[in-house]
């Protein structure tokens, strides 16, 4: 089994490591997690290649839930990727066995799909494996791809799409910027073509009849009713096409709400949809009233229906009614309350 690289995550931040093409239908990747007890956020490995396909490991520290994701786009009509995988904890990264796959179950992966273990082990069990020095541990993920693409052209490896990374490099380097976005007292340099391609609102402002600035002078676009930190995250999404990873001081649910509110008026539809989908995982007694009001205000029908589904459970509804958030929702959104009551009725 070939070695496909190592990812190092310290206090929740991916900062080191290397990846390589395994060059075969099977391979393993090492995820080194340092400072585990200091973070509760999602941990993600670097992307690595096994069997001609691009993979990524997701680790949720609470109970050590592990997922392996096929991180590439595939048509729904395309043949799924069949693969076996196995997670294990290792002590010495320099001494690895050739293979650790047991059993014969084959999982089917399609574009950006994942499989794994919701409860790989408990936190108490994990503590037994932590190294005292830095609360670190290492996860090994073995993958065997049953229908690899590498053997159709063994001497030619086509790298995965890297356009978002290439465009992001321009933003980080500040090269070729020709528009300035002003958010309060802060300014952000950007590229008008990128903004216009990702948002119809920016396209109208920069290239429409009411365009701001000229081609020879950098345009200045005023961003209203948005925090500078939120706009920076939006700008990062525009260039990378991926949601930002919350910092250690940020709450993921709050960040998703801010990004959804920001994406709606600027017609960044993919960002709005991704926030809407991810917010479904943050619905609980303390947040459902706020998320429901947000979904109604920004026309997120799928998110609203997920809130209704959560509230159809009598225990959940009883707990939510006792919260201040529900009282505020009752006073400020009477039409939404009527809609919610109708959603609670059993189907005719």
């Amino acid at each position: 089994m070939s070695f496909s690289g190592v990812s190092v995550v310290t206090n929740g931040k991916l900062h080191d490591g290397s990846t390589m093409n395994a060059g075969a239908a099977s391979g393993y990747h090492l995820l080194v997690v340092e400072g585990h007890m200091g973070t509760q956020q999602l941990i993600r490995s670097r992307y690595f290649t096994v069997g001609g396909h691009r993979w990524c490991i997701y680790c949720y520290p609470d109970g050590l839930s592990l997922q392996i994701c096929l991180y590439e786009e595939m048509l729904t009509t395309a043949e799924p990727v069949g693969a076996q995988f196995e997670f294990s904890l290792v002590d010495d990264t320099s001494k690895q066995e050739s293979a650790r796959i047991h059993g014969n179950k084959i999982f089917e992966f399609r574009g950006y799909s994942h499989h794994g273990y919701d409860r790989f082990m408990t936190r108490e069990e994990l503590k037994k494996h932590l190294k005292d020095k830095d609360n670190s541990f290492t996860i090994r993920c073995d993958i065997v791809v049953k229908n690899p693409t590498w053997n159709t052209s063994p001497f030619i490896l086509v790298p995965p799409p890297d356009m978002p990374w290439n465009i992001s490099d321009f933003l980080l380097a500040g090269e070729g910027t020709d528009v300035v976005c002003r958010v309060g007292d802060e300014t952000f340099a950007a590229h008008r073509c990128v903004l216009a391609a990702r948002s119809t609102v920016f396209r109208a402002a920069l290239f429409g009849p009411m365009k701001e600035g000229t081609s020879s002078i950098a345009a200045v676009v005023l961003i209203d009713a948005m925090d500078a930190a939120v706009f920076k995250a939006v700008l990062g999404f525009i260039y990378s096409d991926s949601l930002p990873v919350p910092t250690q001081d940020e709450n993921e649910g709050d960040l998703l709400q801010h990004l959804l509110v920001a994406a709606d008026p600027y017609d960044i539809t993919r960002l709005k949809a991704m926030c809407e989908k991810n917010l479904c995982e943050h619905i609980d007694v303390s947040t459902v009233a706020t998320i429901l009001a947000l979904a109604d205000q920004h026309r997120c029908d799928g998110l609203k229906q997920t809130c209704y589904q959560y509230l159809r459970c009598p225990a959940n509804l009883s707990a939510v009614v006792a919260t201040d958030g529900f009282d505020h929702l009752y006073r400020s959104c009477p039409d939404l309350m009527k809609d919610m009551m109708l959603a609670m009725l059993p189907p005719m």
Side-chain angles (χ1 to χ4, degrees):
M1 185 166 287
S2 302
F3 178 52
S4 68
V6 60
S7 301
V8 180
V9 177
T10 302
N11 295 324
K13 183 178 180 181
L14 181 63
H15 73 102
D16 198 2
S18 62
T19 58
M20 58 192 73
N21 176 31
S26 62
Y28 70 91
H29 190 82
L30 298 178
L31 173 61
V32 180
V33 181
E34 299 175 340
H36 166 68
M37 303 307 292
T39 179
Q40 293 297 315
Q41 64 191 45
L42 169 67
I43 296 171
R44 186 177 67 182
S45 75
R46 294 180 179 276
Y47 307 116
F48 58 94
T49 302
V50 174
H53 295 284
R54 199 175 188 218
W55 306 89
C56 182
I57 302 170
Y58 290 88
C59 173
Y60 302 82
D62 188 10
L64 197 59
S65 170
L66 294 172
Q67 302 282 335
I68 180 69
C69 175
L70 174 66
Y71 206 86
E72 58 188 38
E73 186 173 352
M74 294 178 62
L75 297 175
T76 55
T77 55
E79 181 184 0
V81 177
Q84 295 175 272
F85 66 89
E86 184 121 350
F87 292 108
S88 57
L89 285 171
V90 300
D91 295 322
D92 190 344
T93 58
S94 64
K95 298 178 181 180
Q96 292 300 306
E97 304 168 11
S98 60
R100 293 192 175 189
I101 293 289
H102 304 285
N104 54 12
K105 183 176 181 180
I106 299 175
F107 296 85
E108 289 192 349
F109 294 82
R110 290 191 179 273
Y112 303 108
S113 63
H114 55 80
H115 293 283
Y117 303 96
D118 292 332
R119 199 71 172 176
F120 180 66
M121 64 171 52
T122 65
R123 293 179 69 85
E124 289 70 25
E125 292 172 330
L126 175 61
K127 288 179 180 178
K128 299 177 183 178
H129 296 272
L130 293 177
K131 297 179 181 178
D132 295 335
K133 182 179 179 181
D134 53 8
N135 280 327
S136 67
F137 62 92
T138 301
I139 296 169
R140 169 171 166 161
C141 179
D142 291 69
I143 303 176
V144 176
V145 179
K146 295 303 180 181
N147 49 346
T149 60
W150 64 271
N151 55 6
T152 59
S153 51
F155 304 107
I156 302 173
L157 177 65
V158 178
D162 57 0
M163 183 179 292
W165 288 269
N166 294 338
I167 297 176
S168 293
D169 288 342
F170 274 105
L171 178 66
L172 295 174
E175 297 177 351
T177 57
D178 55 2
V179 61
V180 174
C181 299
R182 184 178 298 278
V183 189
D185 296 331
E186 295 191 41
T187 58
F188 299 87
H191 305 80
R192 68 178 70 203
C193 287
V194 176
L195 298 182
R198 302 285 278 163
S199 163
T200 58
V201 176
F202 280 128
R203 181 179 300 175
L206 295 167
F207 292 99
M210 302 300 292
K211 64 183 179 181
E212 304 178 29
T214 67
S215 58
S216 60
I217 302 176
V220 177
V221 178
L222 299 180
I223 308 296
D224 298 321
M226 191 185 305
D227 184 78
V230 175
F231 179 75
K232 183 178 180 180
V234 171
L235 196 62
F237 174 84
I238 287 175
Y239 277 79
S240 68
D241 203 39
S242 61
L243 288 173
V245 177
T247 64
Q248 192 168 355
D249 298 327
E250 287 180 322
N251 179 279
E252 184 178 16
D254 291 342
L255 177 60
L256 290 170
Q257 292 182 50
H258 289 310
L259 289 175
L260 189 151
V261 172
D264 191 20
Y266 286 93
D267 194 29
I268 310 176
T269 55
R270 178 170 166 81
L271 174 58
K272 180 181 176 182
M274 291 175 70
C275 291
E276 181 180 359
K277 182 176 181 179
N278 282 272
L279 274 173
C280 292
E281 301 177 2
H282 291 268
I283 295 173
D284 57 30
V285 171
S286 63
T287 64
V288 65
T290 301
I291 292 177
L292 180 56
L294 190 73
D296 182 65
Q297 181 182 357
H298 295 278
R299 305 171 303 282
C300 301
D301 187 63
L303 182 57
K304 185 191 294 187
Q305 293 302 320
T306 304
C307 290
Y308 289 161
Q309 185 180 41
Y310 178 83
L311 292 171
R312 286 192 185 99
C313 173
N316 293 342
L317 181 60
S318 177
V320 171
V321 168
T323 65
D324 294 337
F326 184 85
D327 289 341
H328 178 73
L329 187 69
Y330 182 81
R331 293 191 302 269
S332 60
C333 306
D335 291 337
L336 178 58
M337 294 301 297
K338 293 178 182 179
D339 188 38
M340 185 180 74
M341 292 174 66
L342 291 174
M344 296 299 102
L345 295 176
M348 300 297 291

